[in-house]
Amino acid sequence: MYWHSMNSGEVLKKLDVDPKKGLSLMSVKKREIKYGKNKLLDCKSKSLFKKLLEQLSDFTVITLLFAAAVSFITSIIHGESDYIDSIIILSIVVVNSIIGIMQESKAEKAINSLKKLSSPHTRVLRGGKYQKISSENVVPGDIVFLNTGDLVCADARIIECSNLQVEESSLTGESTAVEKDENYICKSKAHIADQKNMLFSSSSIISGHAVAVVVETGMNTQVGKIASLINCEETSQTPLQEKLSNTSKILGIGTIVICLVIFALSFLQSTDTLEMFMISVSLAVAAIPEGLPAVVTIVLASGVRRMASRNAIVRRLPAVETLGSANVICSDKTGTLTQNKMTVVEIRGVKGKESFKSKLGDIVLSYGMLC
């Protein structure tokens, strides 16, 4: 709905609300059922078992577990008690998984704690009476009152305002306050930064005061749309993960092929089958760098601690390496990363004599955290 392209009277009529009385109790209940709570929805949190499976899904880890199991079985068949190789391999895998799960859990707790920073209460007009309610209970059509220092709890169309200035850097990237005007009418496709008759969720009132009617709540707000993009975005592999995955596959497949060849030669030479099987397994264990996952985890965990000391929250360990692999970061003059798209069109040399078309494509920067 293009609320910004309507005057305040049309908006109030569309939402069926009297600006002098607000919504009735019956209307509020109906709209709560229709629109739900005014809050951002989260992706369903992963269970501990699913997190563990993700940690063990790496090709190298699977190969190590297979090698450890075969080594353990062959030791039992030979009647030996030499389980050192199996224990060491399993210990490395377990430690690596525990570190990864702990780091992800800590980051999720830190991110969830940030959600408490949103506006807890909002002053509204309902049934002709002024009330202070939880922001989660605000519904489309509510008449809200905002003063200097307040956080806007939902997207709203301004009805009245006086010397109103709002900070919207989280959405527009502009650090300077924006002056608002209730009589301003925008084009239907106007950008958020140009919608001077609207207030947006997560923005804050810098000066002045306003009376506004809520038009969108929860995931239907501009912030909610960004949250939907973040929640629905598939987690891609980092450059380090891709390289490790390719290396693991090459080592794993190469090792398996060599072991099969050696094992096959045992039939041609009439060698003891069990002995050759043990040699093949030993070769596989020796060829696979079982210390690699642990070393990578330790290095990334060290990077996470250094980031944490600078107040940066990292949800997944490999994300630390992603920042180091970035070649180009596009931001506007304020340095704020927003949802808008920026395209590298041309890169010029220092002297400006040579230029070439960039093949970098679109670089999309969504406001939020590195995760």
Side-chain angles (χ1 to χ4, degrees):
M1 186 69 68
Y2 299 116
W3 303 106
H4 52 274
S5 62
M6 306 179 188
N7 60 47
S8 57
E10 290 174 331
V11 174
L12 291 169
K13 185 177 180 180
K14 192 77 175 177
L15 293 170
D16 190 22
V17 56
D18 184 349
K20 301 298 182 182
K21 295 182 180 180
L23 294 174
S24 64
L25 183 60
M26 185 65 68
S27 294
V28 171
K29 289 183 177 180
K30 289 181 179 179
R31 298 185 190 205
E32 281 182 348
I33 296 172
K34 182 178 180 179
Y35 298 103
K37 292 289 185 180
N38 177 36
K39 61 180 181 179
L40 301 182
L41 301 179
D42 300 324
C43 286
K44 188 177 180 180
S45 59
K46 301 175 185 176
S47 63
L48 181 62
F49 180 71
K50 189 172 182 179
K51 290 179 180 178
L52 180 61
L53 286 179
E54 288 182 353
Q55 295 293 326
L56 300 177
S57 61
D58 185 74
F59 188 82
T60 304
V61 175
I62 294 173
T63 307
L64 287 173
L65 291 174
F66 177 76
V70 173
S71 178
F72 180 77
I73 293 171
T74 51
S75 297
I76 294 177
I77 294 174
H78 274 157
E80 299 174 354
S81 57
D82 184 12
Y83 307 124
I84 295 178
D85 288 344
S86 301
I87 294 173
I88 292 175
I89 294 172
L90 289 175
S91 299
I92 292 173
V93 172
V94 170
V95 171
N96 178 64
S97 300
I98 290 175
I99 293 175
I101 292 173
M102 287 180 62
Q103 175 58 35
E104 186 173 344
S105 299
K106 286 180 181 179
E108 286 179 353
K109 289 179 181 179
I111 292 172
N112 289 333
S113 66
L114 295 177
K115 296 174 184 176
K116 298 178 181 179
L117 297 177
S118 58
S119 177
H121 295 91
T122 301
R123 191 165 175 246
V124 300
L125 176 65
R126 286 182 176 177
K129 297 181 180 180
Y130 297 103
Q131 302 178 20
K132 196 171 185 180
I133 65 172
S134 172
S135 295
E136 288 189 359
N137 296 327
V138 171
V139 296
D142 265 327
I143 305 297
V144 296
F145 298 84
L146 299 162
N147 296 306
T148 302
D150 290 343
L151 289 175
V152 182
C153 65
D155 289 0
R157 172 63 164 86
I158 302 172
I159 301 174
E160 300 175 11
C161 68
S162 176
N163 300 319
L164 184 62
Q165 291 189 327
V166 183
E167 192 271 322
E168 299 176 340
S169 61
S170 61
L171 288 171
T172 65
E174 295 294 337
S175 59
T176 56
V178 180
E179 293 186 3
K180 297 292 183 176
D181 182 2
E182 73 272 24
N183 297 317
Y184 190 85
I185 304 297
C186 310
K187 294 181 179 179
S188 58
K189 295 184 179 181
H191 188 267
I192 295 175
D194 299 324
Q195 297 177 19
K196 297 183 180 181
N197 54 10
M198 295 288 295
L199 295 174
F200 300 104
S201 179
S202 81
S203 59
S204 59
I205 308 299
I206 300 299
S207 63
H209 62 271
V211 179
V213 56
V214 174
V215 294
E216 302 289 355
T217 59
M219 298 301 288
N220 292 322
T221 62
Q222 293 298 326
V223 171
K225 292 176 182 178
I226 295 175
S228 297
L229 292 175
I230 295 174
N231 289 340
C232 297
E233 183 180 5
E234 294 182 1
T235 303
S236 58
Q237 285 192 324
T238 66
L240 178 62
Q241 286 178 313
E242 290 179 354
K243 291 178 182 178
L244 287 176
S245 179
N246 292 333
T247 302
S248 300
K249 288 179 181 178
I250 293 172
L251 284 174
I253 295 173
T255 301
I256 293 172
V257 170
I258 293 173
C259 291
L260 290 175
V261 171
I262 292 175
F263 187 70
L265 290 175
S266 65
F267 292 99
L268 299 176
Q269 298 178 352
S270 300
T271 310
D272 182 61
T273 304
L274 185 58
E275 182 180 349
M276 290 304 298
F277 181 72
M278 283 297 297
I279 293 175
S280 301
V281 171
S282 300
L283 177 62
V285 174
I288 297 173
E290 60 268 13
L292 182 60
V295 172
V296 172
T297 300
I298 292 171
V299 172
L300 293 179
S302 175
V304 169
R305 285 195 296 271
R306 293 181 64 184
M307 294 283 283
S309 65
R310 291 169 173 77
N311 300 320
I313 300 172
V314 180
R315 180 182 295 179
R316 297 170 59 246
L317 287 178
V320 179
E321 183 265 343
T322 306
L323 184 60
S325 300
N327 294 321
V328 178
I329 297 179
C330 290
S331 64
D332 62 10
K333 62 183 181 296
T334 64
T336 306
L337 305 184
T338 65
Q339 186 195 17
N340 294 333
K341 296 181 179 180
M342 292 184 178
T343 304
V344 179
V345 177
E346 193 171 353
I347 299 178
R348 292 184 178 272
V350 178
K351 296 182 180 180
K353 293 182 179 180
E354 297 179 356
S355 65
F356 60 93
K357 292 295 181 180
S358 171
K359 295 181 180 180
L360 296 177
D362 290 347
I363 299 177
V364 182
L365 300 174
S366 295
Y367 104 101
M369 298 177 184
L370 178 66
C371 56

